[in-house]
Amino acid sequence: MNLRHLNLKYALVNIGFMLLVSGSLGFAYNYLSQSGFDDGTIGTTMSLISLIGVFVGPAAADLVDRSRRITQKMFVIASMVVCAAFSAILLVIPKGSFLILPVIVIAFMCSTVGMPLLNGMAFIYEKSGGVINYGLCRGLGSAAYAVGSNVVGRLWGAIGRNTLPIWVVLMAVLTIVAMELMPAAPKEGGEGKEGAASESISILQFFARYKKVTIVVVSLVLMYFCHFIIQNYMAKIIAVFQLKGVEEIQGNALFIAAILELPTMFGFSLLMKRFDIKQILVVASIFYSIKHVVVLLANSVPMFYAAMALQMLSYAAITPAVVYFANECVAEADRNKGQAVFATASTVGGLLASFLGGWLFQFFSVRLVLTVGVIASIAGTILMVVGTKGVGSAKRSVSVRM
């Protein structure tokens, strides 16, 4: 396996992946709204994206764990091919056609389903003698998300709703090219993989074996619920205090949030030297709820931007911390499933936010819906404090450099 320039290649994959997600996740509501669908239909559609991801993500990890031939690299590339193909179809479907809905569900589900496998690859390369600066690579991904969000927001004014499928197709192709540069991550367990594959546990068995992590997963679901209400319906929230230039303001807000993630992610190694992963998760969760409260109270563009700046102390710390926590609290043979389960917390939170948010926005005010989200976020933070105390001290058996 050629491990030369591995860090650069992994960074390029993260950049391509996050450029893609900046469109598919950041502007899905805008696209569907301007395609003529109401909030309830949009919420149901976006929830289906998450719901299918709940099953496909862990199933993909299970498939890779059990198979002797299918690798993380192969699955991620395949998902990008499907994403690009279905996004291209959106360009020829007439505005208002209900055919848009199943096509966008498949395309945007495939845009994110490979993320836990991509995270897991970092630890496998490190174990094989490679060097992955995960914080730097993930931070560059956040920078790409920031730039992508800003660019998409500005292009929207010139091109309109077709900005989204064009952007997603181009970024999916870029991610495929970057993935092709990566060496195939070896199956964990080396020559003993055949036996390991036969012992691979199911998702239900995973939860039965790792009962103590369940409360942490639930806490993440609740916080992500509020996060995705804000993320998915940002255009609606901004329209409460600013009616003109919504997409540009949204692009700016996403840019601020993502660019301010960089100091935290780049400096995550310093945080790990001074604090335990569980402590980082607790503090980041507290700031997550503070951010959500500020969004609820925001009555101007500057105040909304200030709320987005709190991403630096919340989401930016939780994202790498969860990857490490998942790696530390499960056995090596179950690592792909561990990453998938924790990634599924985000998916389930997005599912609930999309479905409940869409229907709540149909009948209630933006402030009331945000209040429901904030209550869930605070409950999640409390559960994080309780849950991390119930998990045994983690061993850093694999040291992916930050």
Side-chain angles (χ1 to χ4, degrees):
M1 181 174 61
N2 182 8
L3 297 176
R4 292 183 62 192
H5 310 300
L6 182 61
N7 216 34
L8 174 61
K9 294 173 183 177
Y10 191 73
L12 289 175
V13 173
N14 274 273
I15 288 170
F17 196 91
M18 295 308 292
L19 282 171
L20 167 63
V21 172
S22 70
S24 65
L25 291 188
F27 291 85
Y29 174 82
N30 306 61
Y31 181 83
L32 289 169
S33 178
Q34 293 178 22
S35 294
F37 300 104
D38 60 41
D39 287 348
T41 302
I42 294 171
T44 301
T45 302
M46 293 171 69
S47 68
L48 284 174
I49 296 172
S50 299
L51 180 61
I52 296 173
V54 166
F55 295 101
V56 174
D62 188 58
L63 176 65
V64 172
D65 279 342
R66 292 175 182 271
S67 174
R68 298 179 188 139
R69 295 183 179 180
I70 300 175
T71 64
Q72 292 94 334
K73 177 180 176 178
M74 291 169 60
F75 184 86
V76 173
I77 290 176
S79 67
M80 290 295 105
V81 170
V82 175
C83 175
F86 276 79
S87 296
I89 293 173
L90 290 172
L91 292 169
V92 298
I93 301 177
K95 180 179 180 179
S97 170
F98 275 88
L99 186 58
I100 290 174
L101 303 180
V103 171
I104 207 168
V105 165
I106 295 172
F108 287 6
M109 182 275 295
C110 287
S111 75
T112 59
V113 72
M115 189 63 177
L117 293 178
L118 181 61
N119 287 336
M121 286 171 69
F123 296 96
I124 298 172
Y125 285 127
E126 181 78 7
K127 187 179 177 183
S128 301
V131 176
I132 292 286
N133 189 325
Y134 182 81
L136 175 63
C137 295
R138 184 60 181 81
L140 289 173
S142 290
Y145 187 95
V147 173
S149 300
N150 193 266
V151 171
V152 171
R154 294 178 183 277
L155 287 176
W156 207 284
I159 303 176
R161 56 189 281 276
N162 278 338
T163 298
L164 186 56
I166 292 172
W167 179 267
V168 171
V169 169
L170 293 175
M171 296 308 112
V173 171
L174 175 62
T175 305
I176 292 170
V177 172
M179 280 299 301
E180 286 288 0
L181 297 175
M182 296 286 293
K187 291 289 188 177
E188 289 201 271
E191 296 177 357
K193 178 61 187 175
E194 183 175 350
S198 64
E199 295 172 4
S200 180
I201 62 174
S202 68
I203 296 301
L204 291 178
Q205 289 172 323
F206 178 93
F207 280 113
R209 178 177 294 180
Y210 301 103
K211 295 177 181 178
K212 290 184 178 180
V213 307
T214 302
I215 194 168
V216 177
V217 174
V218 172
S219 75
L220 290 169
V221 168
L222 291 171
M223 287 184 286
Y224 284 136
F225 170 70
C226 188
H227 173 86
F228 282 109
I229 281 181
I230 296 167
Q231 197 85 355
N232 294 348
Y233 299 99
M234 190 174 291
K236 245 185 134 50
I237 296 169
I238 293 170
V240 170
F241 50 81
Q242 181 71 37
L243 292 176
K244 294 183 179 180
V246 170
E247 275 79 22
E248 184 171 347
I249 294 169
Q250 180 177 346
N252 291 339
L254 292 171
F255 176 84
I256 290 169
I259 206 70
L260 289 179
E261 292 176 8
L262 302 186
T264 303
M265 290 189 175
F266 288 168
F268 198 76
S269 59
L270 299 177
L271 290 177
M272 288 183 66
K273 289 177 182 177
R274 298 196 61 181
F275 304 102
D276 184 80
I277 287 294
K278 294 181 288 184
Q279 293 174 316
I280 295 173
L281 281 171
V282 168
V283 173
S285 298
I286 293 171
F287 277 103
Y288 221 170
S289 290
I290 292 173
K291 172 194 170 184
H292 296 155
V293 170
V294 176
V295 171
L296 171 63
L297 299 176
N299 56 13
S300 66
V301 173
M303 190 171 179
F304 189 75
Y305 287 164
M308 292 299 103
L310 288 172
Q311 190 96 329
M312 178 181 185
L313 302 173
S314 53
Y315 181 84
I318 281 182
T319 300
V322 165
V323 172
Y324 273 80
F325 187 80
N327 186 65
E328 294 176 353
C329 69
V330 300
E332 179 181 301
D334 305 321
R335 186 166 296 146
N336 280 326
K337 285 189 189 65
Q339 294 293 345
V341 165
F342 278 89
T344 299
S346 172
T347 306
V348 173
L351 164 66
L352 294 173
S354 297
F355 184 74
L356 294 179
W359 288 105
L360 287 172
F361 278 123
Q362 188 94 343
F363 300 106
F364 301 103
S365 69
V366 170
R367 298 295 186 195
L368 181 58
V369 178
L370 284 177
T371 299
V372 172
V374 166
I375 291 171
S377 178
I378 293 172
T381 296
I382 293 170
L383 285 178
M384 180 64 78
V385 174
V386 174
T388 51
K389 289 182 179 179
V391 178
S393 179
K395 293 182 180 180
R396 296 175 185 171
S397 56
V398 181
S399 176
V400 177
R401 292 170 176 79
M402 301 299 293

Short mmCIF file of all heavy atoms in Angstrom, two decimals, residues 308-330:
data_model
loop_
_atom_site.label_atom_id
_atom_site.label_comp_id
_atom_site.label_asym_id
_atom_site.label_seq_id
_atom_site.Cartn_x
_atom_site.Cartn_y
_atom_site.Cartn_z
N MET A 308 -24.08 32.15 14.86
CA MET A 308 -23.32 31.23 14.01
C MET A 308 -21.86 31.15 14.43
O MET A 308 -21.20 30.11 14.29
CB MET A 308 -23.41 31.67 12.55
CG MET A 308 -24.79 31.55 11.93
SD MET A 308 -25.45 29.84 11.91
CE MET A 308 -26.60 29.91 13.28
N ALA A 309 -21.33 32.25 14.98
CA ALA A 309 -19.93 32.26 15.43
C ALA A 309 -19.70 31.29 16.59
O ALA A 309 -18.58 30.81 16.78
CB ALA A 309 -19.53 33.67 15.84
N LEU A 310 -20.76 30.99 17.35
CA LEU A 310 -20.63 30.06 18.47
C LEU A 310 -20.40 28.62 18.00
O LEU A 310 -20.15 27.73 18.82
CB LEU A 310 -21.87 30.12 19.37
CG LEU A 310 -22.00 31.40 20.21
CD1 LEU A 310 -23.35 31.45 20.90
CD2 LEU A 310 -20.86 31.46 21.23
N GLN A 311 -20.49 28.40 16.69
CA GLN A 311 -20.14 27.10 16.12
C GLN A 311 -18.72 26.70 16.52
O GLN A 311 -18.40 25.53 16.68
CB GLN A 311 -20.22 27.18 14.59
CG GLN A 311 -20.12 25.85 13.89
CD GLN A 311 -21.49 25.28 13.57
OE1 GLN A 311 -22.45 25.50 14.29
NE2 GLN A 311 -21.57 24.53 12.49
N MET A 312 -17.87 27.71 16.72
CA MET A 312 -16.46 27.50 17.06
C MET A 312 -16.30 26.72 18.35
O MET A 312 -15.36 25.93 18.50
CB MET A 312 -15.78 28.87 17.18
CG MET A 312 -14.33 28.84 17.58
SD MET A 312 -13.71 30.53 17.71
CE MET A 312 -11.97 30.21 18.02
N LEU A 313 -17.20 26.92 19.30
CA LEU A 313 -17.08 26.29 20.62
C LEU A 313 -18.03 25.11 20.80
O LEU A 313 -18.00 24.47 21.86
CB LEU A 313 -17.35 27.34 21.70
CG LEU A 313 -16.45 28.57 21.67
CD1 LEU A 313 -16.93 29.61 22.69
CD2 LEU A 313 -15.01 28.19 21.93
N SER A 314 -18.84 24.83 19.80
CA SER A 314 -19.84 23.76 19.95
C SER A 314 -19.64 22.67 18.91
O SER A 314 -18.91 21.70 19.15
CB SER A 314 -21.25 24.37 19.84
OG SER A 314 -21.39 25.14 18.65
N TYR A 315 -20.24 22.83 17.76
CA TYR A 315 -20.17 21.81 16.72
C TYR A 315 -18.72 21.49 16.33
O TYR A 315 -18.38 20.33 16.07
CB TYR A 315 -20.95 22.28 15.51
CG TYR A 315 -20.98 21.30 14.35
CD1 TYR A 315 -21.90 20.27 14.33
CD2 TYR A 315 -20.09 21.44 13.29
CE1 TYR A 315 -21.93 19.37 13.27
CE2 TYR A 315 -20.12 20.55 12.23
CZ TYR A 315 -21.04 19.52 12.21
OH TYR A 315 -21.06 18.64 11.17
N ALA A 316 -17.88 22.52 16.29
CA ALA A 316 -16.49 22.33 15.88
C ALA A 316 -15.73 21.41 16.82
O ALA A 316 -14.78 20.74 16.41
CB ALA A 316 -15.77 23.68 15.78
N ALA A 317 -16.11 21.40 18.08
CA ALA A 317 -15.45 20.51 19.05
C ALA A 317 -16.13 19.15 19.11
O ALA A 317 -15.47 18.12 19.26
CB ALA A 317 -15.45 21.16 20.44
N ILE A 318 -17.45 19.14 19.00
CA ILE A 318 -18.18 17.88 19.08
C ILE A 318 -17.83 16.96 17.92
O ILE A 318 -17.67 15.75 18.08
CB ILE A 318 -19.71 18.13 19.12
CG1 ILE A 318 -20.12 18.54 20.54
CG2 ILE A 318 -20.49 16.90 18.70
CD1 ILE A 318 -21.60 18.77 20.71
N THR A 319 -17.67 17.52 16.72
CA THR A 319 -17.46 16.70 15.53
C THR A 319 -16.22 15.81 15.64
O THR A 319 -16.33 14.58 15.51
CB THR A 319 -17.37 17.59 14.27
OG1 THR A 319 -18.61 18.31 14.13
CG2 THR A 319 -17.14 16.75 13.03
N PRO A 320 -15.02 16.34 15.89
CA PRO A 320 -13.87 15.44 16.05
C PRO A 320 -13.92 14.63 17.34
O PRO A 320 -13.46 13.49 17.38
CB PRO A 320 -12.66 16.39 16.02
CG PRO A 320 -13.20 17.71 16.45
CD PRO A 320 -14.61 17.75 15.93
N ALA A 321 -14.50 15.21 18.40
CA ALA A 321 -14.56 14.50 19.67
C ALA A 321 -15.38 13.22 19.56
O ALA A 321 -15.02 12.18 20.12
CB ALA A 321 -15.12 15.41 20.76
N VAL A 322 -16.48 13.29 18.83
CA VAL A 322 -17.34 12.12 18.66
C VAL A 322 -16.61 11.03 17.88
O VAL A 322 -16.73 9.84 18.19
CB VAL A 322 -18.66 12.51 17.95
CG1 VAL A 322 -19.38 11.29 17.43
CG2 VAL A 322 -19.56 13.28 18.91
N VAL A 323 -15.83 11.43 16.88
CA VAL A 323 -15.06 10.45 16.10
C VAL A 323 -14.08 9.71 17.01
O VAL A 323 -13.96 8.48 16.96
CB VAL A 323 -14.31 11.14 14.94
CG1 VAL A 323 -13.36 10.17 14.25
CG2 VAL A 323 -15.31 11.70 13.93
N TYR A 324 -13.39 10.45 17.89
CA TYR A 324 -12.45 9.84 18.82
C TYR A 324 -13.17 9.01 19.87
O TYR A 324 -12.74 7.91 20.22
CB TYR A 324 -11.59 10.90 19.49
CG TYR A 324 -10.37 11.25 18.68
CD1 TYR A 324 -10.46 12.12 17.60
CD2 TYR A 324 -9.14 10.68 18.96
CE1 TYR A 324 -9.36 12.41 16.83
CE2 TYR A 324 -8.02 10.98 18.20
CZ TYR A 324 -8.15 11.85 17.13
OH TYR A 324 -7.05 12.12 16.36
N PHE A 325 -14.26 9.54 20.38
CA PHE A 325 -15.03 8.82 21.40
C PHE A 325 -15.53 7.49 20.85
O PHE A 325 -15.45 6.45 21.50
CB PHE A 325 -16.20 9.70 21.85
CG PHE A 325 -16.98 9.13 23.02
CD1 PHE A 325 -16.50 9.25 24.31
CD2 PHE A 325 -18.19 8.49 22.82
CE1 PHE A 325 -17.21 8.74 25.39
CE2 PHE A 325 -18.91 7.97 23.88
CZ PHE A 325 -18.41 8.10 25.17
N ALA A 326 -16.03 7.50 19.60
CA ALA A 326 -16.52 6.29 18.96
C ALA A 326 -15.38 5.29 18.77
O ALA A 326 -15.57 4.08 18.92
CB ALA A 326 -17.16 6.61 17.61
N ASN A 327 -14.19 5.80 18.46
CA ASN A 327 -13.05 4.93 18.24
C ASN A 327 -12.57 4.31 19.56
O ASN A 327 -12.08 3.17 19.58
CB ASN A 327 -11.91 5.71 17.61
CG ASN A 327 -10.73 4.82 17.23
OD1 ASN A 327 -10.86 3.97 16.35
ND2 ASN A 327 -9.61 5.00 17.89
N GLU A 328 -12.72 5.03 20.65
CA GLU A 328 -12.17 4.59 21.93
C GLU A 328 -13.11 3.68 22.71
O GLU A 328 -12.65 2.86 23.50
CB GLU A 328 -11.82 5.80 22.79
CG GLU A 328 -10.69 6.64 22.21
CD GLU A 328 -10.43 7.89 23.03
OE1 GLU A 328 -11.20 8.16 23.96
OE2 GLU A 328 -9.45 8.58 22.75
N CYS A 329 -14.41 3.82 22.52
CA CYS A 329 -15.34 3.12 23.41
C CYS A 329 -15.82 1.79 22.84
O CYS A 329 -16.65 1.13 23.46
CB CYS A 329 -16.53 4.01 23.76
SG CYS A 329 -17.63 4.34 22.37
N VAL A 330 -15.35 1.40 21.66
CA VAL A 330 -15.74 0.11 21.09
C VAL A 330 -14.48 -0.67 20.70
O VAL A 330 -13.40 -0.10 20.53
CB VAL A 330 -16.65 0.28 19.85
CG1 VAL A 330 -17.91 1.02 20.20
CG2 VAL A 330 -15.91 0.99 18.72
#
